[in-house]
Amino acid sequence: MNSNTISSRNAFLAEEYRRAAKAAKEQNFEEAWHHLERAHVVAQDRFGPHCVAHWRMLRLAWRVGDWREVCGQMFRLALAPLGNATGKLPVGNTGRSNVSAFTRMEIEPEIRRVLGLPTNRNDG
């Protein structure tokens, strides 16, 4: 991964986190989750950013009192080091507890571009 890719990913993450915070402040929690899920897909293959994505999801789940999601995020925070160390990450997974932590998911074209993947395939 070259420095241009990393800087574009970091810019994407910063924007998604800004949008998630704005939506949460406005109590539009569905939109906040949407932005955190997008951030997770981009952050997933780098340990630090991956953990940050789950930490932010945990904070939002706590804020809205979604205890199932709180437990799911704690589980994912515990799994993240192993997944990143082994490289066995479910590509495209949104990181929420409403999907299995082991399920690969389709990646939307905009995010595929940020990840430097072809936009017409999901072979991540």
Side-chain angles (χ1 to χ4, degrees), residues 1-10 13 41-47 49 84 114-116:
M1 188 177 327
N2 68 39
S3 62
N4 288 339
T5 303
I6 291 172
S7 63
S8 68
R9 283 185 183 202
N10 290 343
L13 291 174
V41 173
V42 170
Q44 185 179 32
D45 67 345
R46 295 186 293 153
F47 177 67
N84 284 104
V114 172
L115 293 172

Side-chain angles (χ1 to χ4, degrees), residues 27-60:
Q27 296 190 6
N28 185 346
F29 300 118
E30 186 175 324
E31 183 177 340
W33 282 118
H34 170 74
H35 291 294
L36 291 176
E37 289 172 342
R38 287 168 50 90
H40 177 268
V41 173
V42 170
Q44 185 179 32
D45 67 345
R46 295 186 293 153
F47 177 67
H50 188 191
C51 290
V52 168
H54 284 298
W55 176 250
R56 288 176 181 253
M57 289 180 169
L58 175 61
R59 287 180 21 208
L60 181 59

